[in-house]
Amino acid sequence: MSAARPGTTGATRTCPHCKTVILESSPVCPACRGHLRFDAPAVDSSERFVPLQVEGTINAPADSAFEYTMVVVIRDENGREISRHVAGVGAVFPGESRSFNVSVEAVPASAGKRRRH
């Protein structure tokens, strides 16, 4: 979980449904999409933005299969690893393909919750 104090920007908690670590401010879990805070003010969709999105497809060769592991790594501004997570594993057989989409969804932090440096 985050080192940020509860109530500050970046503070985390565990989703009661799927046990994924999520932002404390999330009204809906991004992993299981379970509703968490019915009293939370709705975030204006115009405030949401996606600062990073990567999409790609892998195809198996016509004559062989291969296994894959999708790993997500997050690093800070100094290149230090903050988090590493295996997002999925599987196999692709001849004639099959798999598509992957990685996106970072963001919403501005409220001014009253910003962390002091």
Side-chain angles (χ1 to χ4, degrees):
M1 292 239 234
S2 170
R5 292 186 332 266
T8 62
T9 299
T12 59
R13 64 181 170 140
T14 302
C15 171
H17 307 289
C18 68
K19 308 303 181 216
T20 298
V21 176
I22 61 171
L23 287 171
E24 183 181 74
S25 61
S26 296
V28 176
C29 175
C32 71
R33 298 187 177 131
H35 288 270
L36 305 165
R37 298 178 56 198
F38 295 101
D39 62 335
V43 175
D44 184 354
S45 62
S46 67
E47 292 183 29
R48 292 188 183 279
F49 61 101
V50 179
L52 173 69
Q53 184 163 358
V54 179
E55 188 167 335
T57 301
I58 56 175
N59 299 296
D63 59 349
S64 65
F66 63 88
E67 297 179 320
Y68 65 87
T69 302
M70 183 175 184
V71 181
V72 178
V73 179
I74 301 171
R75 290 188 171 84
D76 68 11
E77 64 279 357
N78 297 314
R80 289 186 299 248
E81 191 171 293
I82 295 172
S83 176
R84 175 180 290 265
H85 174 75
V86 174
V89 298
V92 183
F93 295 93
E96 293 183 344
S97 66
R98 298 291 182 273
S99 294
F100 301 87
N101 180 299
V102 177
S103 62
V104 176
E105 297 176 358
V107 61
S110 60
K113 297 176 97 176
R114 294 212 172 113
R115 186 172 45 174
R116 293 185 181 106
H117 293 290

